[in-house]
Amino acid sequence: MNGKSFFLLFVLAALWGGSFLFICIGVSAFGPAPLMAVRVVIAAGFLLAALIYQHGISGLRNLYIYFGPLCVVGMLNAALPFVLFAYAELTIAAGLTSVIMATAPLWGALVGRLWFKEHLGLSRTLGLLIGFAGVLLLVWHQVSVSVDRLEEAPDPSPILLAILASLVASLMYGISANYTSRYLSQLNPMQIAAGTMLSSAVLLIPFAIVQWPSAPVPWQAWAVVAALGIACTAVAFIVYFHLIATTEPAYAISVMFLVPIFGVLWGVLFLQEEVSLDMLASGSVILIGVLLSTGLLNRLYAKWKNLLRI
């Protein structure tokens, strides 16, 4: 990776980390389903325009041919996890949801083992165990804090449901990554991005209509969802697929390890969220597990050894 690629990697992490900030601000005005429906409609428009610009009208043909698999990926990679994260942020902090999202590569490795019978080896298996131990530590800490802060009739169930929603959303990312590699390998990345956003819009619009807020949505919330759809979704996808095309996919995927850093940072700077030592420790354990379970640590070590020999 050259200097430009490293810069784009951090830009992408900042954009995706910022999505948790915008969700936290906008979800109270829109509600989870309407907020995410508007987000994916905006993103789909931008990505379809980019696809037509790159490949012409003929680039849309494969979207029709593979509409079924694209709907599956759109549901698992955008529509459902987006709504689940928005639901979670009604209760828990934006920074915490970004840390939980970092478990997506763990789920991807586990799904690959169970679905494709991939051989994980000792280090990757150990990484899965370490990563899930970090998740348990994180959940335990959040429940303990919520109980301590409640003076009467402590009920940690809202916290537990929010954390569960975030974990299920991360699991869906792991499933969709494996499903995409199996059934959508014939499409180029831009077609997959545009097709999944379009199908997500189709899936979410009916729910958004039913659950649309009765009170007028303030212009500030519309500005937030516009930034969420344009910057954190459409532009972020374009940067992500540019990194895949110009570097190695493993390096592009490593953005998942940087997203929690920016998710926590934006939450502290703009939402005055608190970051405890327990949360940092749990996040570090999860990060170690992700590095081991994805095999990225071994690849980076091998590449470092090769560089030292030069």
Side-chain angles (χ1 to χ4, degrees):
M1 296 181 74
N2 54 29
K4 179 182 176 182
S5 297
F6 272 112
F7 173 74
L8 289 177
L9 192 71
F10 277 86
V11 169
L12 179 59
L15 289 173
W16 276 348
S19 67
F20 294 95
L21 169 68
F22 291 132
I23 291 170
C24 187
I25 296 173
V27 69
S28 58
F30 280 95
L35 176 68
M36 292 307 161
V38 177
R39 173 187 183 177
V40 296
V41 166
I42 293 173
F46 270 77
L47 288 168
L48 285 172
L51 177 62
I52 294 173
Y53 175 78
Q54 285 189 354
H55 304 282
I57 298 297
S58 61
L60 301 177
R61 182 171 176 270
N62 281 338
L63 302 189
Y64 173 77
I65 296 174
Y66 291 93
F67 186 72
L70 285 170
C71 281
V72 174
V73 175
M75 178 179 65
L76 294 176
N77 199 58
L80 290 179
F82 283 0
V83 171
L84 287 171
F85 278 128
Y87 165 78
E89 290 198 41
L90 290 171
T91 306
I92 61 177
L96 176 59
T97 53
S98 69
V99 172
I100 295 175
M101 198 227 21
T103 63
L106 290 173
W107 296 114
L110 182 61
V111 171
R113 175 68 182 93
L114 297 176
W115 189 356
F116 292 126
K117 309 301 180 184
E118 293 180 355
H119 178 66
L120 295 179
L122 179 61
S123 65
R124 298 187 69 186
T125 302
L126 181 63
L128 285 175
L129 296 176
I130 292 174
F132 286 119
V135 172
L136 291 176
L137 288 173
L138 191 64
V139 172
W140 177 264
H141 169 66
Q142 291 300 313
V143 172
S144 300
V145 169
S146 66
V147 170
D148 292 341
R149 289 179 178 176
L150 292 173
E151 297 179 357
E152 298 179 358
D155 180 17
S157 57
I159 301 290
L160 285 174
L161 287 174
I163 292 174
L164 179 62
S166 299
L167 287 172
V168 171
S170 302
L171 169 61
M172 289 180 178
Y173 285 144
I175 295 173
S176 66
N178 286 278
Y179 184 93
T180 301
S181 67
R182 172 65 67 91
Y183 297 106
L184 292 176
S185 59
Q186 298 88 345
L187 301 183
N188 64 54
M190 186 62 75
Q191 288 175 324
I192 296 174
T196 54
M197 284 299 111
L198 178 61
S199 61
S200 298
V202 172
L203 291 169
L204 285 180
I205 284 174
F207 295 97
I209 293 173
V210 173
Q211 299 177 17
W212 194 262
S214 55
V217 178
W219 70 266
Q220 295 92 336
W222 282 106
V224 163
V225 75
L228 185 62
I230 297 171
C232 300
T233 309
V235 173
F237 267 113
I238 293 173
V239 173
Y240 178 62
F241 291 125
H242 173 77
L243 283 172
I244 289 179
T246 56
T247 65
E248 296 180 16
Y251 286 109
I253 294 171
S254 67
V255 70
M256 300 291 282
F257 311 140
L258 297 174
V259 168
I261 297 174
F262 284 96
V264 171
L265 177 62
W266 301 145
V268 171
L269 291 178
F270 298 104
L271 301 176
Q272 289 73 53
E273 295 179 353
E274 297 180 357
V275 182
S276 66
L277 290 176
D278 289 327
M279 181 176 170
L280 291 175
S282 302
S284 299
V285 172
I286 292 172
L287 176 59
I288 293 171
V290 169
L291 289 171
L292 287 170
S293 65
T294 57
L296 185 62
L297 194 62
N298 291 334
R299 290 196 294 271
L300 292 176
Y301 176 70
K303 188 173 286 292
W304 179 252
K305 285 179 62 178
N306 291 332
L307 288 175
L308 290 178
R309 291 173 183 170
I310 297 176

